Amino acid sequence: MGSWDGRSIHWRVADSRGKLRLLLAEDAFLERAYNDLRVDVSWKTSTLRRWLNGEFLETAFSREERMCVISGRVDNPRNPRFFTQGGAPSMDKVFILTQEEIEKYLPAQQDRALGKWWWVRMPGCNLLSAVSVCEDGSIYEIGINVNYASGGVRPAMWVLLRV
């Protein structure tokens, strides 16, 4: 489902709820900043969120594929180590996972290791940083500056199966 830069996007089914499936990209095939500017930011106000639910969704998927993608409430929890508030919930079709979701769907560190780091949907030690998954699959709770453009993006989305 979908393609980027002329290549098919490969997904894994991370969760299943009736006719709904949570798809997680197999790889962090995009590189993008969590936010274009280094300012206090939450997932809801980030430029990455806006881009994933706008240009990425429109470009990567056909009209028929987009019709299967479900919009839903996305909670934005605080950082479990530093207690930095994650901000208000958002309504998204495409998102990235939180630390808790990563630990649930990818419990083994080697399952998270991609040889490059990628963004997590929660703040780091302050709102100028966001948690990331390191090259070796460990979770970096302190966070990386939100404006680092080399951050890998591993999109996730809920889709409705057609029967």
Side-chain angles (χ1 to χ4, degrees):
M1 184 171 171
S3 63
W4 191 256
D5 276 345
R7 297 185 318 207
S8 294
I9 302 171
H10 298 280
W11 303 92
R12 76 170 52 196
V13 176
D15 199 354
S16 177
R17 297 180 187 164
K19 292 183 179 183
L20 293 175
R21 300 293 182 271
L22 175 61
L23 301 183
L24 173 63
E26 286 285 354
D27 191 22
F29 60 91
L30 304 163
E31 285 188 2
R32 196 157 181 91
Y34 193 90
N35 199 62
D36 291 342
L37 300 174
R38 188 167 186 263
V39 295
D40 284 358
V41 68
S42 67
W43 169 252
K44 186 173 183 174
T45 61
S46 72
T47 56
L48 176 58
R49 173 183 173 259
R50 188 170 39 249
W51 183 81
L52 282 172
N53 286 279
E55 183 181 334
F56 173 74
L57 185 63
E58 291 293 319
T59 304
F61 303 101
S62 69
R63 182 177 178 277
E64 293 77 26
E65 290 171 331
R66 286 193 304 272
M67 289 175 58
C68 296
V69 181
I70 303 301
S71 181
R73 178 186 164 120
V74 174
D75 291 320
N76 300 302
R78 68 182 184 180
N79 182 299
R81 182 172 172 199
F82 299 99
F83 305 107
T84 314
Q85 292 301 313
S90 54
M91 290 296 291
D92 297 328
K93 288 189 172 194
V94 185
F95 52 93
I96 56 178
L97 299 181
T98 64
Q99 180 175 340
E100 181 179 345
E101 291 166 335
I102 290 167
E103 291 169 344
K104 176 181 178 181
Y105 301 128
L106 303 168
Q109 184 173 325
Q110 64 266 23
D111 292 338
R112 303 186 293 251
L114 299 177
K116 56 187 163 189
W117 69 274
W118 45 284
W119 294 113
V120 176
R121 187 182 84 237
M122 51 198 318
C125 63
N126 57 45
L127 292 173
L128 296 171
S129 62
V131 174
S132 67
V133 175
C134 299
E135 293 86 351
D136 66 358
S138 61
I139 295 176
Y140 188 60
E141 292 175 332
I142 292 172
I144 295 177
N145 288 335
V146 294
N147 64 324
Y148 280 15
S150 61
V153 180
R154 196 171 182 184
M157 60 189 178
W158 285 97
V159 297
L160 179 63
L161 296 179
R162 293 186 185 175
V163 180

